[in-house]
Amino acid sequence: MKKTTLLILLVVFVVSCNKNISKNNNKKQFLTNYVDPFIGTGGHGHTYPGATVPFGMLQVTPVNGISSWDWCSGYHYSDSIAVGFSHLALSGTGIGDLADVLIMPINKEVDISKMPKSRDSLTYKSSYSHNNENASPGYYRVFLDDCNVNVELTTSKRTAYHKYTFKKNDQQSVVIDLGFAINWDKATSSSLQIEDDYTITGHRFSKGWAKNQKVFFVAKFSKPIIDYQLAADNNKVSSQKTVGAKTAAQIFFDNVENSELKVKVALSSVSIKNAKENLEEGFEFESVKAKASASWEDVLSKISIETKTDSLKTIFYTAMYHAHVAPVTFSDKNGEYRKENDTIETATNFTAYSTLSLWDTFRAEHPLLTLTSPDKVSDIINSMLSYYQTKKILPVWTLYANETNTMTGYHSIPVIAEAYLKGITGFDAEKAYEAMKTTMMQDERGLSHYKKYGYIPYNLLDESVTITLEYAYDDWCVAQMAKALGKTDDYKFFLKRSKAYTHLFDAETGFMRGKFEDGKSWNEPFDPKYSNHREHTDYTEGNAWQHSWFTPHAVEDLAKLHGGNEIFTQRLEQLFTESSEITGSNVSADISGLIGQYAHGNEPSHHIAFMFNHANKPWRTQYWSRYILDTQYNTTPNGLSGNEDCGQMSAWYVLSSIGLYPMNPASTQYEIGSPIFESSSINLPNGKTFIIKAENVSKENIYIQSATLNNEPFNETNISHETILKGGTLQFFMGNTPNKKWGTAKNSNN
């Protein structure tokens, strides 16, 4: 009996120890281990798998060399050919550019004087297998089959590091090709110079989506250069420097000492001198890799989640990763950066940023940053105000400091208003307001029509419905900023103009429709499922079903226009249950991730599920937001239902999965949806923590039964940014059937 008792005690002790060990291991589990940079590299996600740091200047990543929509980042998971590794890339955009300063390690001599127009005739390309490829935050590795070279990449904020391991006794060489381009990009001028035995410098000017892109670079090698070949515009060059529209170099190194070659590269928009200043000392690849990983660990830990489902952790932390890739650092170490007009500015007391995909990111990406990185928000706003100083209009979509004028509206405006109203400082509020007001009072991009008619007539400008609705929201944001600054007359003026949506609502069909300049006639014939991509259309990258709901500042009023909450919510339900057929011969490829006619793969749909909260049916917001979370994201390369768009697609997931969404960002309120994690903690920059708990949550238990905020009953369908900043605990009790009384005390307008 004593022996049996001792045996039982020993088993209990061992099991207890194992549990404790397991707990300790979980505590030490790095969040970066849950990030999969290949998510979004397939399908229409358009992400890249290469190495970068949070908001870093460089994105050192593989380039497949194909010019096609799904290769907008330079890489697509369906491919298995590499032409090199570039230092600038776009994360999830719908237009392709960049892939600048292409470097490729090879083990043979090639003719670089021939400048091919496609990758098929590239002499230095190589096949690879995804089995020999991996990536983690701040690190990328691939084995090049044709060259027998193992490639590893990492980066700091302004310096990229390459480590090439060649096969023993193989020739060690790299090709630098400044002429090769993908998608919209085209080199207009470039140069290469062998400065010394270890250094090559040059520039690459190009015209593409960014019409005036100037990149200067320096590359240093861990081994001395023993030979080289230079070429320009299909001719070999015998000197140490070559200049032309398209230049290239092949550089050779000694293969006797060891099989490893390291390269470090820095860029600048200003000069080679600045690129050299941006270049860090040493070739300590592993320490740089560790620092890059640590920088990501810090970002990922800003929101911690608890769930028993590892796949959900992978989706969540990969989304956090993607949401902090862009915007990207643009100013050099000394603060200098180039503007579109070639003037050189100096960012004083802030970092200048570029790659501002504002049509997308104002919706959830920027609101997320107000929680995780408010210091970056003020820097981004200062970057936009710097742009305003030159153009006297706030930016629309900036790429390498160039205005692309891509997409509709002026959504710098909600970003600024949201930041100011959330108490974020570090920028001149009066100057910001001046920029907002001046932008909305000028005449470009349809604003002259908008001011004259109160809406944009379809016969005067394409995409008139989308543009009108977005200007109405921008006006509302200007009004809120004016009110906060005590500018009463401006507040009244812009608030009145923010009702422009009322001109385009057709009560008979229930859709926002194109209206003629006579103020009476609709655009006929009308088919709410019809899509015509970016021309001869009333809607941007979508149809009437997807664009008729963009009144985030006036949901209750929109419900009244429909005839009350019941009709409004019936039509919202129909959006999600209607057949997914899209009509037309030139359907926008951006219409993806369809649930009925709801298109999660493109941003105009992103707020719609949360509108039920404002029409007395919050349980439908809970149902549909959870349905979107469950069906539109997964852990495969095809894990995003549409373009990542510089963080927006992922930011939607990050916030919605913890149960919050900024349907109207400048309201400073977050709508409450359906949290999918047992617990989420927002670790705020002010040192406080806001915890969201979901008791009994499961795949079936998606409905909020009741809630408490700091142990007090909570019956609201939204929560303020101010409340979150105070820290505390919001606790939901979940069940598998709707509680139709919770959150319905207000908003009845039937």
Side-chain angles (χ1 to χ4, degrees):
M1 184 68 183
K2 285 182 179 179
K3 286 184 180 178
T4 305
T5 304
L6 285 172
L7 183 61
I8 292 170
L9 288 171
L10 183 62
V11 170
V12 170
F13 176 77
V14 170
V15 170
S16 176
C17 286
N18 284 339
K19 283 183 178 178
N20 288 333
I21 289 168
S22 176
K23 284 181 180 178
N24 288 334
N25 284 342
N26 285 339
K27 285 180 182 177
K28 292 179 182 178
Q29 179 66 61
F30 290 110
L31 301 178
T32 51
N33 291 340
Y34 290 111
V35 176
D36 183 355
F38 290 106
I39 292 176
T41 61
H44 300 319
H46 296 185
T47 62
Y48 60 84
T52 191
V53 294
F55 313 108
M57 176 179 276
L58 303 180
Q59 307 84 43
V60 55
T61 186
V63 176
N64 295 137
I66 283 183
S67 292
S68 185
W69 191 56
D70 278 332
W71 279 259
C72 280
S73 74
Y75 177 98
H76 194 264
Y77 199 79
S78 63
D79 214 329
S80 58
I81 300 292
V83 302
F85 303 91
S86 66
H87 295 78
L88 296 173
L90 290 162
S91 181
T93 57
I95 298 175
D97 201 335
L98 303 185
D100 292 81
V101 189
L102 191 73
I103 299 181
M104 181 68 167
I106 59 173
N107 62 351
K108 61 184 178 182
E109 185 174 342
V110 294
D111 184 357
I112 57 166
S113 65
K114 295 177 182 177
M115 301 289 178
K117 292 184 178 179
S118 71
R119 79 171 184 184
D120 294 339
S121 54
L122 283 175
T123 54
Y124 54 78
K125 68 180 184 295
S126 175
S127 61
Y128 64 91
S129 166
H130 293 305
N131 293 329
N132 295 319
E133 181 186 35
N134 60 55
S136 60
Y139 176 74
Y140 173 84
R141 184 193 71 81
V142 69
F143 184 80
L144 300 176
D145 293 330
D146 298 340
C147 304
N148 281 319
V149 180
N150 188 63
V151 176
E152 295 178 83
L153 308 173
T154 190
T155 185
S156 64
K157 190 174 184 178
R158 293 186 176 90
T159 302
Y161 293 79
H162 304 233
K163 183 167 75 171
Y164 307 141
T165 306
F166 291 83
K167 188 178 178 182
K168 190 175 181 181
N169 298 322
D170 266 11
Q171 190 168 57
Q172 296 182 23
S173 174
V174 299
V175 169
I176 301 178
D177 193 339
L178 304 184
F180 189 77
I182 59 170
N183 293 308
W184 289 33
D185 185 48
K186 179 183 178 182
T188 57
S189 170
S190 63
S191 70
L192 288 162
Q193 180 173 0
I194 308 296
E195 287 208 355
D196 58 41
D197 289 347
Y198 295 89
T199 311
I200 185 166
T201 58
H203 77 266
R204 185 180 190 274
F205 300 167
S206 60
K207 183 178 182 179
W209 192 14
K211 292 179 174 60
N212 180 27
Q213 188 192 357
K214 289 183 167 67
V215 179
F216 300 87
F217 79 94
V218 57
K220 275 195 175 289
F221 305 95
S222 61
K223 290 182 176 182
I225 298 167
I226 61 171
D227 198 6
Y228 59 86
Q229 295 178 1
L230 301 180
D233 301 329
N234 297 311
N235 294 304
K236 291 183 179 179
V237 177
S238 57
S239 66
Q240 288 184 304
K241 183 175 182 178
T242 182
V243 180
K246 298 180 178 181
T247 59
Q250 183 170 16
I251 307 165
F252 301 91
F253 304 88
D254 192 343
N255 65 353
V256 176
E257 256 186 54
N258 59 62
S259 57
E260 193 173 274
L261 173 69
K262 294 178 182 176
V263 190
K264 59 181 181 178
V265 180
L267 309 183
S268 167
S269 67
V270 176
S271 65
I272 291 173
K273 175 179 175 290
N274 277 20
K276 288 179 178 179
E277 290 177 2
N278 288 339
L279 193 70
E280 294 182 359
E281 295 294 327
F283 287 92
E284 294 80 13
F285 186 92
E286 291 303 322
S287 65
V288 174
K289 174 186 170 186
K291 287 177 184 176
S293 180
S295 71
W296 279 113
E297 190 71 24
D298 180 60
V299 164
L300 299 176
S301 65
K302 291 181 178 182
I303 302 180
S304 53
I305 60 167
E306 291 180 18
T307 176
K308 296 171 182 149
T309 309
D310 277 354
S311 61
L312 290 181
K313 291 180 183 177
T314 296
I315 296 170
F316 179 84
Y317 285 113
T318 302
M320 274 288 282
Y321 168 78
H322 280 142
H324 291 81
V325 164
V328 301
T329 298
F330 189 58
S331 52
D332 292 330
K333 197 172 182 180
N334 64 6
E336 291 182 341
Y337 60 99
R338 181 181 298 271
K339 286 190 171 182
E340 185 177 5
N341 63 359
D342 284 323
T343 60
I344 306 301
E345 297 285 339
T346 301
T348 304
N349 299 321
F350 76 96
T351 298
Y353 287 94
S354 190
T355 309
L356 296 171
S357 181
L358 293 162
W359 188 77
D360 311 289
T361 57
F362 86 90
R363 304 168 197 265
E365 160 84 358
H366 288 283
L368 175 62
L369 297 185
T370 66
L371 289 168
T372 63
S373 307
D375 57 324
K376 300 293 187 296
V377 174
S378 58
D379 281 2
I380 291 164
I381 292 171
N382 281 317
S383 303
M384 295 192 291
L385 295 180
S386 170
Y387 175 93
Y388 168 77
Q389 286 300 105
T390 303
K391 306 277 281 193
K392 297 306 174 188
I393 298 174
L394 282 167
V396 175
W397 209 124
T398 63
L399 173 61
Y400 222 75
N402 282 235
E403 177 57 88
T404 67
N405 269 313
T406 302
M407 309 313 293
T408 47
Y410 282 102
H411 299 313
S412 304
I413 289 171
V415 172
I416 296 170
E418 176 192 24
Y420 182 73
L421 295 170
K422 284 183 174 179
I424 292 175
T425 58
F427 63 94
D428 186 330
E430 288 290 344
K431 180 180 175 183
Y433 178 75
E434 173 204 312
M436 295 163 72
K437 179 179 177 180
T438 302
T439 297
M440 290 307 293
M441 292 305 293
Q442 47 88 21
D443 292 332
E444 291 188 20
R445 291 163 47 87
L447 274 167
S448 59
H449 306 314
Y450 180 78
K451 290 191 292 185
K452 180 178 179 180
Y453 297 97
Y455 65 96
I456 298 174
Y458 76 83
N459 59 304
L460 300 181
L461 188 67
D462 278 346
E463 304 179 342
S464 61
V465 173
T466 298
I467 297 171
T468 297
L469 297 179
E470 292 185 4
Y471 282 161
Y473 180 62
D474 292 340
D475 273 344
W476 186 85
C477 293
V478 178
Q480 304 314 303
M481 187 82 167
K483 183 179 181 181
L485 292 172
K487 302 177 189 297
T488 305
D489 290 343
D490 282 1
Y491 167 69
K492 291 177 180 177
F493 174 83
F494 285 105
L495 187 66
K496 181 179 179 181
R497 221 170 64 164
S498 73
K499 299 184 184 298
Y501 60 88
T502 60
H503 294 287
L504 300 186
F505 182 77
D506 176 16
E508 187 175 332
T509 63
F511 292 100
M512 297 287 181
R513 294 183 56 185
K515 183 174 279 186
F516 193 66
E517 62 186 306
D518 64 6
K520 300 175 183 178
S521 311
W522 299 113
N523 193 359
E524 300 285 0
F526 176 65
D527 174 5
K529 294 183 179 179
Y530 177 78
S531 165
N532 198 44
H533 185 64
R534 303 311 307 264
E535 58 181 10
H536 308 303
T537 179
D538 294 336
Y539 311 96
T540 303
E541 297 181 353
N543 60 24
W545 269 113
Q546 289 130 28
H547 283 264
S548 291
W549 312 96
F550 191 72
T551 60
H553 58 299
V555 181
E556 290 87 351
D557 193 34
L558 182 62
K560 289 177 182 176
L561 291 175
H562 277 271
N565 283 341
E566 200 55 44
I567 297 172
F568 177 63
T569 53
Q570 284 174 10
R571 287 173 174 169
L572 274 177
E573 289 288 342
Q574 188 180 353
L575 168 73
F576 289 98
T577 57
E578 183 72 19
S579 77
S580 295
E581 175 195 16
I582 307 293
T583 60
S585 59
N586 184 30
V587 171
S588 177
D590 298 277
I591 303 175
S592 60
L594 285 165
I595 304 170
Q597 285 288 314
Y598 173 91
H600 193 70
N602 208 18
E603 280 67 25
S605 288
H606 278 191
H607 69 290
I608 298 175
F610 299 89
M611 298 178 87
F612 289 100
N613 276 355
H614 288 253
N616 254 14
K617 289 191 178 179
W619 64 92
R620 297 313 290 166
T621 282
Q622 293 157 35
Y623 176 85
W624 286 116
S625 63
R626 181 60 183 265
Y627 188 87
I628 297 163
L629 286 162
D630 289 345
T631 62
Q632 300 302 304
Y633 298 84
N634 63 60
T635 59
T636 72
N638 198 17
L640 299 175
S641 60
N643 298 167
E644 166 61 24
D645 283 319
C646 297
Q648 170 57 27
M649 193 66 63
S650 290
W652 189 97
Y653 186 92
V654 168
L655 289 169
S656 298
S657 67
I658 66 174
L660 307 175
Y661 191 76
M663 183 190 71
N664 173 5
S667 72
T668 75
Q669 301 286 320
Y670 301 88
E671 299 298 321
I672 289 171
S674 178
I676 65 175
F677 306 121
E678 287 90 342
S679 180
S680 309
S681 298
I682 305 173
N683 302 306
L684 297 159
N686 62 10
K688 296 184 179 180
T689 302
F690 188 79
I691 300 168
I692 301 169
K693 290 186 175 181
E695 299 291 339
N696 304 318
V697 70
S698 68
K699 257 196 163 179
E700 295 76 29
N701 294 345
I702 65 172
Y703 295 106
I704 297 170
Q705 305 301 299
S706 63
T708 61
L709 177 62
N710 299 327
N711 297 317
E712 295 292 328
F714 183 80
N715 197 37
E716 305 291 329
T717 58
N718 56 48
I719 189 168
S720 72
H721 186 78
E722 182 183 13
T723 298
I724 290 173
L725 289 186
K726 291 176 182 176
T729 301
L730 177 61
Q731 188 163 18
F732 296 109
F733 299 88
M734 311 298 289
N736 60 7
T737 56
N739 176 3
K740 297 183 180 181
K741 293 182 179 179
W742 185 85
T744 57
K746 299 177 182 178
N747 302 323
S748 179
N749 60 22
N750 280 318

